[in-house]
Structures are given as structure tokens and as C-alpha cells.
Amino acid sequence: MPEGATPGSSLTYTVTVTPARGDPVLVGVTITVAEPAVVPTTVTPTSLSLEALPGESASGCFQITDGEGPFGLSAVNGGLDKSSAAVGDTVVYSYTVPEGATPGSSLTDTVTVTPSTGDPVVVAVSTLVKEEELPAPELEIAPAALGLRGGAGETPTATFTITSGTAPFTLTSANEEGRGSFAPAEPALNQVVTYGFRIPGAATDQQTFTDTVTVTDAEGKVVTLLATITAEV
């Protein structure tokens, strides 16, 4: 087969068979030049999943692993780091999420890889619009201190409220005798908490006791409240 034969064309030859006696016989031979096998274009991965906040850029890459190069590259919305590539090249795709994009939505794009011979391949791109994470609120209570008065053996009460923070909240009393108490024990945000302190039965008039109430939220933030209890006998 001649090196320069055109694929799809036909080549004809004549073979002459000459016997020892008699007339020669001619054999006609037709050879059709076949189309060369086309190596299909393949890429890895075949799709990209990205995410970014509104106004920020997301990027990802894929590699051309086989096919007939050179390859033309194009994207509908995003950008590419090159306009053409060869087998083995890595292509970087980037896309800037519009400022007004809705958090939680997905934006789609397509990258087309066009070989010199054969069918193009499309890389599907999906970009998730992230929602900006706000910092956890500071833990705050009001008031910052409590004053209680009661008789010996009584449990006077006062209230405070957790006005800011991340639920759930944990309440603890520093009194080692377990005289401090809370209701409810696991309050919600902005729920009024009743603190009580059981005054010892042997307390004398105007004797004072102190307790430190510690409030811890789900983020690990801590705030303390000082309770001063005065016995009135």
C-alpha cells in the first residue's frame, strides 16, 4: 500500500497468470484504502464540582488522557489557562461567582475539548454558591451580678437572662455544697433563668455568701455571674 494513498479511495491492479501453454489470464484486483482508526478523546475527571462565595473564584482541573491532538479548548462561561492542549496536558478551569448569586444554588458550565480528529468531549462543571458563615455571637447575660436576701435555711431567688450566644447552654454553680440551683437547668436563648441559693440554717444575721455562676454555650464561650447572698435572721 503506497504511503500517500488517500483514505476511502480505491487502488486497482492487474495480475497476469501466464501458463506454459495457452493464453495468459488477467486477474483484476481492487484494494480500498481504509480510513485510519480514530482514537477517542478521553479526559479525567469527566466533570468538575466546585464551590465559592458570591464574588469569589472557584477553580478545578482535568487532564486529557487520550485522543488525536492537538485539542482545541473552550468554556461557555468560565476561563481556561490555555486555548489548546496535547495528550497528557492538565487544563485549569476557573469561574467567578456573580455577586448577586443566590447562596445554596448551583451554577453550571461546560468545557468543550475538540480533537483534531474525532468527536469532541464535554466536561460538565457545577459550581455551588456557598453561604457566608457568620461568626458565632458573643455570649452575654443580664444582669452581670445578682443580690439575694433570705432567712436562715431559706432559698431566696433572683433571675438573669442569656441575651446572646449559641444554644444549648450549660449552667454551673461554684458552691461546693450544692447550694446553688437553676430553673430551668438547660435554658434557651432569651429565656429567664431563676437562680436560687439555699442559705445555711446556722447563718447569722447579715452574714454574706458568694457564688459564681458559670454559663457555657455550644461554641465553648464562657461568661460568669457573681451572686451575693445575705442572710437576714
Side-chain angles (χ1 to χ4, degrees):
M1 182 73 66
E3 288 288 344
T6 303
S9 64
S10 295
L11 305 177
T12 58
Y13 299 91
T14 300
V15 178
T16 301
V17 181
T18 304
R21 293 182 179 183
D23 297 330
V25 175
L26 302 179
V27 179
V29 179
T30 300
I31 301 174
T32 300
V33 182
E35 295 283 348
V38 177
V39 179
T41 301
T42 57
V43 298
T44 303
T46 57
S47 63
L48 298 177
S49 295
L50 312 176
E51 59 180 30
L53 293 168
E56 293 187 353
S57 294
S59 63
C61 60
F62 63 90
Q63 184 180 40
I64 301 174
T65 54
D66 210 347
E68 303 283 348
F71 303 87
L73 305 171
S74 63
V76 176
N77 298 315
L80 302 170
D81 68 332
K82 53 179 66 73
S83 59
S84 63
V87 172
D89 283 355
T90 296
V91 181
V92 179
Y93 168 90
S94 60
Y95 176 71
T96 300
V97 177
E99 289 285 355
T102 303
S105 64
S106 291
L107 307 176
T108 59
D109 196 4
T110 54
V111 177
T112 303
V113 181
T114 305
S116 298
T117 304
D119 296 327
V121 169
V122 172
V123 178
V125 182
S126 177
T127 303
L128 174 66
V129 183
K130 294 174 61 179
E131 185 170 1
E132 187 172 4
E133 296 181 3
L134 298 176
E138 292 299 320
L139 178 58
E140 297 176 347
I141 60 175
L146 297 176
L148 293 77
R149 289 180 173 273
E154 295 180 350
T155 303
T157 61
T159 61
F160 66 92
T161 304
I162 302 173
T163 58
S164 179
T166 305
F169 303 97
T170 302
L171 307 178
T172 59
S173 166
N175 184 267
E176 296 180 354
E177 297 178 351
R179 297 185 179 278
S181 62
F182 308 97
E186 297 180 355
L189 183 65
N190 293 320
Q191 184 175 8
V192 175
V193 179
T194 299
Y195 167 80
F197 186 89
R198 180 168 48 84
I199 298 174
T204 59
D205 188 42
Q206 301 305 308
Q207 183 178 358
T208 60
F209 305 87
T210 60
D211 189 14
T212 300
V213 175
T214 301
V215 181
T216 306
D217 73 357
E219 296 293 327
K221 296 182 178 181
V222 177
V223 67
T224 59
L225 176 154
L226 179 64
T228 302
I229 305 94
T230 303
E232 295 180 335
V233 179

